[in-house]
Amino acid sequence: MSPREAQQGTGRQPVIEVEHLTTHYGARRILNDVSLSVREGEVLVIMGGSGSGKSTLLRYLLALERPTSGRVRIFGIDVNRASGEDLTRLRRRMGVAFQGGALLSSMSVGENIMLPLREHTDLDHSTIRIMARMKLEVVDLAGFEHLMPAELSGGMTKRAALARAVVMDPKLLFCDEPSAGLDPVVAAALDELILRLRDALGMTVIVVTHELDSAFKIADRIVVLERGAILTIGTVEEVRNCADARVQNLINRRLELAELDPDAYLQRLTRDAVAP
């Protein structure tokens, strides 16, 4: 059995459970009856076109929003019933690598990595420095702690962001578009790093991405969203072979064009026009 197959074993307990999640921004529905689970130790990739609801779903998985309809449980804790203190403790078990890195420009790389430890632990300074250096070593940035974020390349920035995200040894790691803006070689190296971190630290990883090559390389399972609803959930092979035309359009980068009714189009253009 391969490591990936082992991670997919049904004996793995769910770390996150989402049941019938529906959300709105004002009158606009963003997520529509979303149900999924994230298993311990797996890499779950969330895919979909722009406006499909990926970022909104991520906010709920991070317990940044409380559901108005449906339920989200993280490590067995019902987000709707959790106190503010419970949610704070919950978030300390998570790490987030933001899309642009989100390193603080006024701090060195080392200071950025140490920041979560300074804010959320009572460790002494020397211990914090050692822990930060260990994580920089893991992401192949040993010796770069004195550089400022502006001195880093795109790939180095992403790796530094990963080091900060895992410095407190979270059990749940979120990566938002980790390969965005990187050349294929650097992106492939980052994919390998995410898998190494998952294995070395025993984490569950959730990745939001548009990058098909990256998704197919690192995912144990993939969730495909469209207009706030789940089109399919499955392994890479299951998603590749999904019969839904919308899924095939996404993974084959085909534009889905709706049939155009000329009369309806003209009426839509002119219905709000003011008569002279």
Side-chain angles (χ1 to χ4, degrees), residues 128-145:
I128 288 174
R129 286 178 63 87
I130 291 170
M131 292 180 68
R133 285 178 176 175
M134 288 173 62
K135 292 306 188 292
L136 284 169
E137 185 90 35
V138 169
V139 301
D140 301 322
L141 284 178
F144 292 92
E145 59 265 30

Side-chain angles (χ1 to χ4, degrees), residues 202-222:
M203 297 183 300
T204 302
V205 184
I206 298 174
V207 178
V208 174
T209 185
H210 286 92
E211 303 293 334
L212 292 171
D213 290 342
S214 178
F216 291 155
K217 180 177 181 179
I218 67 176
D220 294 313
R221 290 188 300 145
I222 296 175

Side-chain angles (χ1 to χ4, degrees), residues 23-86:
T23 67
H24 294 78
Y25 288 159
R28 184 184 172 204
R29 186 171 61 191
I30 306 300
L31 297 177
N32 181 21
D33 195 28
V34 170
S35 295
L36 59 88
S37 65
V38 185
R39 303 167 187 163
E40 181 183 3
E42 79 171 333
V43 177
L44 182 78
V45 169
I46 301 173
M47 293 178 58
S50 297
S52 61
K54 301 188 302 298
S55 296
T56 300
L57 178 58
L58 186 61
R59 290 184 60 82
Y60 283 90
L61 299 182
L62 283 164
L64 297 176
E65 304 277 359
R66 294 178 186 262
T68 54
S69 176
R71 176 179 296 177
V72 177
R73 285 193 295 267
I74 305 173
F75 297 117
I77 297 172
D78 188 328
V79 171
N80 251 359
R81 298 180 179 179
S83 67
E85 194 172 301
D86 288 336

Side-chain angles (χ1 to χ4, degrees), residues 98-101 152-162 175-194 209 211-214 253:
F98 298 96
Q99 179 173 349
L152 301 180
S153 67
M156 293 171 72
T157 298
K158 298 275 190 177
R159 283 185 280 145
L162 272 174
C175 299
D176 187 12
E177 298 288 358
S179 302
L182 302 180
D183 69 63
V185 174
V186 176
L190 196 68
D191 292 337
E192 290 289 348
L193 176 58
I194 290 171
T209 185
E211 303 293 334
L212 292 171
D213 290 342
S214 178
R253 303 181 186 275

Side-chain angles (χ1 to χ4, degrees), residues 108-246:
S108 69
V109 170
E111 290 169 335
N112 269 280
I113 310 307
M114 290 188 285
L115 183 61
L117 294 170
R118 287 175 171 167
E119 292 292 321
H120 300 297
T121 74
D122 296 321
L123 297 171
D124 62 81
H125 181 67
S126 61
T127 301
I128 288 174
R129 286 178 63 87
I130 291 170
M131 292 180 68
R133 285 178 176 175
M134 288 173 62
K135 292 306 188 292
L136 284 169
E137 185 90 35
V138 169
V139 301
D140 301 322
L141 284 178
F144 292 92
E145 59 265 30
H146 300 299
L147 294 182
M148 300 301 289
E151 299 176 280
L152 301 180
S153 67
M156 293 171 72
T157 298
K158 298 275 190 177
R159 283 185 280 145
L162 272 174
R164 185 178 60 186
V166 302
V167 73
M168 292 183 63
D169 294 327
K171 288 301 178 184
L172 193 51
L173 173 65
F174 295 86
C175 299
D176 187 12
E177 298 288 358
S179 302
L182 302 180
D183 69 63
V185 174
V186 176
L190 196 68
D191 292 337
E192 290 289 348
L193 176 58
I194 290 171
L195 294 176
R196 287 202 337 254
L197 287 171
R198 186 273 304 270
D199 295 339
L201 302 178
M203 297 183 300
T204 302
V205 184
I206 298 174
V207 178
V208 174
T209 185
H210 286 92
E211 303 293 334
L212 292 171
D213 290 342
S214 178
F216 291 155
K217 180 177 181 179
I218 67 176
D220 294 313
R221 290 188 300 145
I222 296 175
V223 177
V224 181
L225 290 177
E226 184 184 81
R227 299 180 182 178
I230 293 179
L231 293 181
T232 189
I233 301 177
T235 64
V236 171
E237 201 61 30
E238 288 168 342
V239 170
R240 284 185 187 273
N241 295 325
C242 180
D244 192 311
R246 295 167 296 178

